[in-house]
Amino acid sequence: MFSDVSKKVLGFFIIIMVLSMPVFAQEGGTKGDKKEAPVAKENPLEYIRIETSMGNVVVELNREKAPLSVANFLNYVDKNFYDNTIFHRIISNFMIQAGGVTSDMEQKPGGKPIENECKNGLKNARGTIAMGRTNDLNSATTHFYINVKDNFNLDGACYAVFGQVIDGMDIVDKIKMVKTGTKRSFRDAPLEDVIIKTIVRTEKPKK
């Protein structure tokens, strides 16, 4: 028989042994195998389809190189912000621009501006999509443009590219040829509306 003191000491050592025993995985795991839930990773590439009155354009967005710009743009896409707006600025040897301007040349209000990501290594080459902004480097919100030719001077001016057209560049080239003029306070505005019916997420086109 153990004395009361011996029982207390023995009980103490039993508790220490139990606490120091290894914990094994449950739910079918074998001893020593610790199962961890897989961590969901965001797709480094996202795809959107710009459906216009002149045809559709599919754009690949580079989340890896421009995470803030892509997240910002997709936020507006998911809210249907660009539905029934127009390409309000078109310069045939430069770019086509949109950003929430309606056919009566009213600007829809956007959210908070984002940090400029122009140092991400992506260039303002023909077919790329980039953020429009004011003279303030960190002022981009809703406006974007598609380069219709190589505009590498915009890299030095710190305009952030966040993707590229992978299908429908022929539609971009049709849009750039629309006749333009001045409408209200907007210069280089199309005299015939080029309407963005909607912009939606999509899958990478199959070749």
Side-chain angles (χ1 to χ4, degrees), residues 60 62 65-67 69-70 116-125 127-131 145 147 151-152 154-155 158-164:
E60 179 182 83
N62 194 325
K65 294 285 189 179
S69 300
V70 171
N116 194 307
E117 294 181 303
C118 68
K119 303 299 184 181
N120 60 18
L122 301 178
K123 305 298 183 182
N124 277 272
T128 56
I129 185 172
M131 296 301 301
Y145 63 89
N147 289 292
N151 289 312
F152 299 133
L154 296 179
D155 300 331
C158 216
Y159 282 85
V161 173
F162 62 100
Q164 62 181 355

Side-chain angles (χ1 to χ4, degrees), residues 115-206:
E115 183 179 344
N116 194 307
E117 294 181 303
C118 68
K119 303 299 184 181
N120 60 18
L122 301 178
K123 305 298 183 182
N124 277 272
R126 170 175 160 81
T128 56
I129 185 172
M131 296 301 301
R133 59 170 175 79
T134 67
N135 290 331
D136 181 349
L137 288 180
N138 299 307
S139 61
T141 54
T142 66
H143 282 237
F144 66 91
Y145 63 89
I146 298 174
N147 289 292
V148 301
K149 72 175 188 65
D150 292 342
N151 289 312
F152 299 133
N153 59 306
L154 296 179
D155 300 331
C158 216
Y159 282 85
V161 173
F162 62 100
Q164 62 181 355
V165 174
I166 60 171
D167 189 43
M169 197 61 196
D170 58 324
I171 302 301
V172 173
D173 287 335
K174 285 173 59 178
I175 293 173
K176 77 176 185 180
M177 299 309 296
V178 172
K179 291 183 178 180
T180 61
T182 301
K183 293 175 68 175
R184 297 182 68 174
S185 60
F186 290 82
R187 298 174 60 186
D188 304 307
L191 299 181
E192 179 181 349
D193 288 344
V194 180
I195 300 170
I196 296 176
K197 299 176 181 179
T198 190
I199 302 180
V200 295
R201 294 182 188 241
T202 189
E203 300 292 329
K204 183 178 181 179
K206 295 180 180 180

Side-chain angles (χ1 to χ4, degrees), residues 4-172:
D4 290 340
V5 173
S6 297
K7 288 179 179 179
K8 289 181 179 179
V9 172
L10 181 60
F12 174 76
F13 280 109
I14 291 173
I15 291 172
I16 293 298
M17 290 175 64
V18 169
L19 291 178
S20 62
M21 289 175 66
V23 177
F24 299 110
Q26 310 244 340
E27 299 181 2
T30 58
K31 287 187 176 183
D33 294 333
K34 185 179 180 182
K35 286 191 173 181
E36 296 183 357
V39 177
K41 293 183 178 180
E42 290 184 311
N43 191 338
L45 299 175
E46 299 280 354
Y47 299 90
I48 55 100
R49 183 174 65 252
I50 306 173
E51 299 181 5
T52 83
S53 55
M54 297 183 72
N56 296 341
V57 179
V58 177
V59 181
E60 179 182 83
L61 306 178
N62 194 325
R63 189 190 292 276
E64 181 178 9
K65 294 285 189 179
L68 298 179
S69 300
V70 171
N72 175 75
F73 185 72
L74 289 176
N75 176 57
Y76 290 112
V77 167
D78 292 340
K79 292 180 178 178
N80 302 314
F81 177 85
Y82 297 110
D83 289 11
N84 299 311
T85 60
I86 65 171
F87 280 95
H88 64 277
R89 185 172 178 231
I90 296 174
I91 302 177
S92 62
N93 62 348
F94 184 32
M95 56 89 230
I96 62 175
Q97 182 175 348
V101 176
T102 61
S103 58
D104 55 1
M105 309 309 285
E106 293 289 338
Q107 173 67 59
K108 296 174 66 174
K112 293 181 179 180
I114 61 172
E115 183 179 344
N116 194 307
E117 294 181 303
C118 68
K119 303 299 184 181
N120 60 18
L122 301 178
K123 305 298 183 182
N124 277 272
R126 170 175 160 81
T128 56
I129 185 172
M131 296 301 301
R133 59 170 175 79
T134 67
N135 290 331
D136 181 349
L137 288 180
N138 299 307
S139 61
T141 54
T142 66
H143 282 237
F144 66 91
Y145 63 89
I146 298 174
N147 289 292
V148 301
K149 72 175 188 65
D150 292 342
N151 289 312
F152 299 133
N153 59 306
L154 296 179
D155 300 331
C158 216
Y159 282 85
V161 173
F162 62 100
Q164 62 181 355
V165 174
I166 60 171
D167 189 43
M169 197 61 196
D170 58 324
I171 302 301
V172 173

